[in-house]
Amino acid sequence: MNKKRAIQILTKAAGLYHANLENQKILFLYGIPSEVRKQLQEGGGSVSSIKSYEVVFQRFNFQHLTGVQINRENVASANHFYEKCLDNRLMENDFNLAKDGSTEQKLDILERMMGIKKNVTMIGEFTDRGPRLYTEKAAGNVCGCIGFVKDYNTNLNVPNTLLKKDIRDVIASSVQNVYAVISKDYKAEKYSILEKSDKEFNIKSCIFTEEIERILEKEKFT
């Protein structure tokens, strides 16, 4: 992949990131299919087997997902890189592609993964620890996934990598399905925007754990 093509992808992806993810907190509700199915069949509405994972997407996280190496002579920071992408001012001498081909792999699915709120299907503990790669949890689908780590300065889970791999190949063997994705503005108190919900259950009538119920604003789900 040449840099001209890379700039086209980065510019479009930055626009998608800005529209779909920037300054948002996203809540993944997930569980082991057999356990969730059993509770739904039992009736009563309680699905205590559903777990939650919260992540935040901020401006400076975008560059980590691209795999490009910024040229510090021209680009001051990850935020500056993102701004140049958004403003269509990114130049070929502003960045470099990784020599091992990993940047091209990330760019191949970058635009698609900006829609993770809608296309995520699975989540799990990351186990595929290759050289120079560290992440804690991965969420995605059979085409690719985003890796997340805890930022110990903010105590929030943030994206730190993107992989062009079937998520089932990089997470622990017990696959956990994502049953709902709910978002909110970074400063909002509760999750109120239902992005995706599995057809197996009515999220408004489901009773989750107290910890999950406390952060949901179900009356605003549509």
Side-chain angles (χ1 to χ4, degrees):
M1 179 183 294
N2 59 42
K3 285 190 174 183
K4 183 177 180 180
R5 175 57 181 151
I7 289 173
Q8 292 175 339
I9 294 172
L10 290 165
T11 300
K12 185 174 180 180
L16 293 170
Y17 187 91
H18 175 71
N20 298 324
L21 298 171
E22 184 186 331
N23 289 331
Q24 291 186 32
K25 285 186 177 179
I26 296 172
L27 179 71
F28 298 112
L29 297 183
Y30 66 97
I32 296 173
S34 59
E35 295 179 0
V36 174
R37 192 176 303 113
K38 180 181 178 182
Q39 287 191 320
L40 290 173
Q41 290 172 348
E42 289 173 350
S46 176
V47 279
S48 57
S49 59
I50 291 286
K51 292 172 281 187
S52 65
Y53 187 69
E54 295 181 81
V55 301
V56 61
F57 289 85
Q58 296 173 301
R59 294 173 68 86
F60 58 84
N61 296 132
F62 176 74
Q63 188 242 321
H64 295 299
L65 299 177
T66 67
V68 306
Q69 301 164 345
I70 58 177
N71 181 354
R72 292 289 180 176
E73 293 182 0
N74 301 322
V75 182
S77 64
N79 273 343
H80 188 202
F81 172 80
Y82 178 57
E83 289 164 3
K84 294 191 84 167
C85 291
L86 274 181
D87 297 339
N88 202 21
R89 294 186 294 109
L90 191 66
M91 307 294 289
E92 291 187 17
N93 60 356
D94 288 338
F95 67 96
N96 292 305
L97 308 180
K99 295 180 180 179
D100 62 3
S102 60
T103 305
E104 286 90 337
Q105 291 183 349
K106 294 178 192 297
L107 294 181
D108 279 345
I109 60 167
L110 182 61
E111 293 175 40
R112 183 185 308 165
M113 295 310 293
M114 295 301 93
I116 189 171
K117 290 188 298 186
K118 303 293 187 183
N119 61 35
V120 62
T121 58
M122 290 168 278
I123 192 169
E125 302 301 320
F126 188 78
T127 58
D128 184 33
R129 305 195 186 283
R132 298 184 292 110
L133 175 62
Y134 173 73
T135 197
E136 296 169 351
K137 211 170 189 85
N141 51 49
V142 297
C143 298
C145 55
I146 293 178
F148 299 91
V149 294
K150 177 164 285 188
D151 182 335
Y152 289 98
N153 291 320
T154 63
N155 210 35
L156 298 170
N157 299 309
V158 298
N160 78 323
T161 191
L162 186 151
L163 298 171
K164 187 183 179 182
K165 289 187 176 183
D166 184 330
I167 190 172
R168 294 171 297 183
D169 295 335
V170 300
I171 61 175
S173 57
S174 56
V175 173
Q176 303 193 72
N177 288 355
V178 173
Y179 287 91
V181 180
I182 312 159
S183 68
K184 67 175 182 176
D185 181 81
Y186 182 80
K187 295 181 180 180
E189 183 179 351
K190 294 187 176 184
Y191 287 90
S192 60
I193 303 171
L194 183 60
E195 304 284 357
K196 174 183 178 179
S197 179
D198 195 281
K199 61 183 179 181
E200 286 190 36
F201 64 88
N202 183 339
I203 192 170
K204 282 190 174 184
S205 62
C206 284
I207 302 171
F208 304 106
T209 62
E210 182 180 344
E211 180 183 8
I212 295 175
E213 289 286 347
R214 190 170 57 246
I215 59 176
L216 298 180
E217 199 167 4
K218 289 183 178 178
E219 58 271 21
K220 289 191 176 180
F221 292 175
T222 56

